[in-house]
Amino acid sequence: MQRHLLDPIGRRPVAEVVDRLCGVQAQVASSAELAVRVRRETSRPGEVGRALSEGRLVKTWAMRGALHLLTPEAAGAFLSLMASGRTWERPSWQRYFGMTTKQFDALRGAVRAALDVEPLTRDELATAVSARRGLRHVGEALRSSWGTLLKPLAWQGDLCFGPSRGGRATFVRPEDASSRWARVPDPDEAAPVVIVAYLRAYGPATFEAFGNWLAGGYFGKRRLRAWFGALEDRLAEVDVAGERAYVLAEDVDELASTRPTKTVRLLPGFDQYVLGPGTGEGHVVPTSRRAAVSRQAGWISPVVIAGGAVSGTWELDGERVRVAWFGEAGRPPGPALQAELARLSSILRRDLEPVISTT
């Protein structure tokens, strides 16, 4: 809770909050902004958008192929590990898109050339690229809102999201999105940077949990073990309820001396507190309640955190906040829950009425 700037609430700038969390999932823009704002003692509406327009953040496809906010200084390391999977070289991927490796290289060049002058909408980019010889067949795939063909380009630093134009997304080169943009390093150089950042935010954690957070389990255990093995001198193994997990050696004493918390927090959908360890982490999301948190079509519910664990879900219904408290978590902590609901009202600048039920 402390490391997630939730107990106590942090005072860090927007970009530092995002950096601390190793990125913020952002396919639902309102949830991404709320994830940042609930971790700041004082905040203002639209501050994430301002950070993007000023180049203090970039928005791109990253971990698990999902849209994320990242700091431009750190983004390259996360993207490097995603690119190291080299999905575009898989026969099934090439058959689906009708592309050879040589054509994919041509696609990269065509996209970078198309974005050389100004931001382009998805349709404008597809039109420019499909006009190239040998790439006429990719226009439809480039126009797909899923962005499957564009994600490997994002992972290699060829494009990211630019400013919206008339309600439509645009794409730009990352170096044009932010003067702070750093290169995409070699994966073996990037892995220690990302693992250290992940364990600082989410440790204790297993390398399997890291792999699931990074790519949904796509990476093989051999590669993950090699990356963690290269950091052996900086890591310590600890026992968590009978399971071996890793933390940074420099953090052992601090973690061991941390006192339990009873703090209650309302977190938005797709919050990193849940996504970082994963919804299968029973210490965070009770196993019997996973379906209430991780719902159909990849939807992650807004959650109530009490004592560090998910103890309920919540949703906005007009001017009401409907809290579904998990019965096994004991009686709802009335005053603490009311105080957090008041804080949410202040953040959203709405007079919200709590409706609390036990499930």
Side-chain angles (χ1 to χ4, degrees), residues 8-339:
I9 299 299
R11 297 181 177 180
R12 300 190 183 201
V14 169
E16 288 189 20
V17 174
V18 172
D19 192 50
R20 169 50 115 180
L21 301 178
C22 301
V24 170
Q25 196 160 317
Q27 71 264 43
V28 180
S30 58
S31 293
E33 178 165 74
L34 190 54
V36 173
R37 295 189 67 196
V38 296
R39 289 170 166 86
R40 286 176 30 81
E41 204 172 68
T42 57
S43 65
R44 295 177 297 163
E47 61 187 14
V48 168
R50 286 188 290 275
L52 281 166
S53 66
E54 294 168 3
R56 291 180 282 119
L57 292 176
V58 293
K59 183 164 66 172
T60 190
W61 288 292
M63 286 71 74
R64 303 175 305 282
L67 194 61
H68 277 74
L69 302 173
L70 293 163
T71 63
E73 297 90 343
F78 294 99
L79 297 176
S80 172
L81 297 195
M82 291 302 302
S84 71
R86 304 188 72 82
T87 55
W88 59 91
E89 294 180 353
R90 298 167 69 179
S92 59
W93 192 95
Q94 293 185 353
R95 285 195 301 271
Y96 184 83
F97 288 108
M99 297 192 76
T100 63
T101 302
K102 184 177 180 179
Q103 286 175 313
F104 181 77
D105 289 340
L107 173 65
R108 289 190 64 192
V111 167
R112 289 194 65 85
L115 297 176
D116 191 41
V117 178
E118 61 180 349
L120 297 179
T121 65
R122 195 184 303 269
D123 187 65
E124 290 167 344
L125 181 61
T127 299
V129 171
S130 59
R132 296 288 191 99
R133 184 177 180 181
L135 295 175
R136 293 186 178 91
H137 64 297
V138 303
E140 183 178 352
L142 288 173
R143 290 181 174 88
S144 168
S145 61
W146 291 102
T148 308
L149 189 55
L150 293 174
K151 290 178 184 181
L153 305 180
W155 299 335
Q156 294 177 88
D158 295 327
L159 59 79
C160 69
F161 281 73
S164 295
R165 189 201 309 158
R168 294 181 296 171
T170 69
F171 297 99
V172 297
R173 291 183 179 182
E175 57 267 33
D176 294 328
S178 173
S179 61
R180 298 176 172 89
W181 172 257
R183 65 186 178 87
V184 177
D186 179 86
D188 289 337
E189 178 186 344
V193 175
V194 176
I195 292 171
V196 166
Y198 178 81
L199 290 178
R200 186 162 286 138
Y202 303 103
T206 63
F207 67 78
E208 291 94 344
F210 173 79
N212 286 332
W213 164 80
L214 181 66
Y218 171 77
F219 286 99
K221 291 185 178 180
R222 180 179 298 180
R223 177 180 292 181
L224 293 172
R225 283 197 181 98
W227 283 343
F228 273 71
L231 272 171
E232 184 177 8
D233 292 343
R234 294 196 61 183
L235 304 183
E237 276 195 276
V238 295
D239 183 284
V240 182
E243 182 180 33
R244 304 300 291 176
Y246 292 101
V247 297
L248 296 178
E250 64 196 62
D251 292 341
V252 170
D253 291 342
E254 179 188 354
L255 291 172
S257 64
T258 298
R259 301 179 63 181
T261 175
K262 294 182 179 179
T263 295
V264 173
R265 293 286 179 245
L266 296 179
L267 304 183
F270 301 95
D271 194 84
Q272 297 304 123
Y273 196 86
V274 171
L275 292 175
T279 58
E281 172 50 81
H283 296 108
V284 176
V285 180
T287 302
S288 62
R289 297 291 188 166
R290 186 179 183 186
V293 176
S294 182
R295 305 176 69 178
Q296 292 182 347
W299 189 265
I300 305 297
S301 299
V303 294
V304 184
I305 304 294
V310 174
S311 299
T313 61
W314 64 275
E315 63 178 354
L316 281 177
D317 179 14
E319 298 306 306
R320 294 182 174 88
V321 179
R322 297 190 179 276
V323 174
W325 181 261
F326 297 160
E328 66 272 20
R331 295 181 61 184
L337 195 50
Q338 291 284 354

